[in-house]
Amino acid sequence: MPDKPDYSLETKLAGRIVGIDEVGRGPFAGPVVAAAVILDPQNIPDGLQDSKKISKNRREALYETLMACANVGIGEATVQEVDQLNILQATFLAMKRAATALNITPDFALVDGNRDPKLGIPTQLVVKGDSISVSIAAASIVAKVTRDRKMCALAKLFPHYGWEKNAGYGTAEHRKGLSLFGVTPQHRRSFAPIRKILEENETII
C-alpha cells in the first residue's frame, strides 16, 4: 500500500472515474453522508489524504478547493432511513444519492470498502480506499466536512450532547447528555445503546 493515496488506480481505467466514500456509520446520532468526486487529472489538489489523517483546518481547506475544481455529488440517508433500512443499506442509499447528484454520469466507480452499493455502473471496491485512491480520499474529505458541519448545526438545536465536537459518536460527553436529557429525534433508535435507553425510561425530547 502506498504511503499516501495516488491516481494510479484511476489511470488503469477508461473514462470518467468517480471516487465514493461515506462517513457516519458508527455514530449514535445524525445522518450518514456520502460523497462522490470526479477529479480533473490535470488539476488534482495537493495533499489529498484519508480525511481521518489530516487536521480539521486542512480538511476544510481541501473541501473548498475540491468544491471549486472537481465534480462533486453529496448524498445522505436520514436517521429515520438508518432505522428503517439498517445502517449498511442506509450507507448504500447515501452513496447512490451522491452518485446521482453528480452533474455528469461517471463511467466507473471506485468505492471505499468491501461491499458493493450497486450503483448501476461498473464498480471496483477498494478496502482502505481513502489511503490508496486520491478520488476516494477526496470523497472522504467532502463527506467528512459536510457531515461535521451538519452535526455542528444540529448541536445548536440539541446542545447537551457535544455533537459539535464528537459528531454524534458515543463519547463520554454524549452518553452523559443521554443520561441527563434523554433521546432526541436525531438519535438512531435502532442502535443498541439508544434502544436500551428507550426501553429503560422512554425519555424523548
Side-chain angles (χ1 to χ4, degrees):
M1 184 182 296
D3 292 335
K4 59 183 180 179
D6 59 32
Y7 202 71
S8 59
L9 275 182
E10 289 86 341
T11 59
K12 297 174 184 176
L13 302 166
R16 294 181 291 255
I17 313 303
V18 63
I20 297 179
D21 201 3
E22 54 71 33
V23 66
R25 287 183 65 168
F28 290 180
V32 180
V33 175
V37 178
I38 301 174
L39 293 171
D40 175 356
Q42 307 305 317
N43 188 21
I44 297 175
D46 291 332
L48 291 176
Q49 178 62 278
D50 175 355
S51 64
K52 298 182 291 296
K53 296 180 180 179
I54 54 179
S55 69
K56 178 181 178 181
N57 287 343
R58 185 68 180 138
R59 281 197 303 269
E60 292 275 354
L62 282 166
Y63 171 90
E64 298 299 341
T65 300
L66 287 164
M67 297 304 285
C69 76
N71 198 304
V72 177
I74 298 170
E76 70 173 70
T78 66
V79 170
Q80 292 74 25
E81 288 169 331
V82 170
D83 288 338
Q84 290 164 6
L85 299 172
N86 75 43
I87 188 60
L88 178 63
Q89 294 303 318
T91 298
F92 290 167
L93 180 59
M95 287 181 169
K96 290 172 188 173
R97 286 172 173 165
T100 302
L102 293 163
N103 61 24
I104 57 175
T105 302
D107 300 299
F108 200 97
L110 296 171
V111 176
D112 185 57
N114 62 1
R115 303 291 292 272
D116 187 355
K118 298 186 174 13
L119 301 170
I121 58 174
T123 297
Q124 180 177 339
L125 303 176
V126 188
V127 176
K128 299 188 185 304
D130 42 12
S131 296
I132 297 171
S133 157
V134 284
S135 298
I136 297 176
S140 80
I141 290 166
V142 171
K144 171 73 172 161
V145 172
T146 300
R147 188 176 187 279
D148 283 355
R149 289 178 178 180
K150 286 178 178 289
M151 295 310 295
C152 284
L154 287 170
K156 294 177 182 178
L157 300 175
F158 304 99
H160 305 297
Y161 306 89
W163 293 344
E164 72 282 2
K165 292 176 287 197
N166 61 45
Y169 284 87
T171 62
E173 180 181 13
H174 192 168
R175 290 174 184 271
K176 182 178 180 181
L178 281 164
S179 68
L180 293 174
F181 298 98
V183 175
T184 77
Q186 286 298 324
H187 280 101
R188 300 173 180 178
R189 284 156 166 70
S190 57
F191 277 37
I194 306 304
R195 190 168 63 244
K196 184 171 184 288
I197 292 169
L198 290 171
E199 289 170 352
E200 288 173 352
N201 55 32
E202 299 183 355
T203 302
I204 303 176
I205 62 172

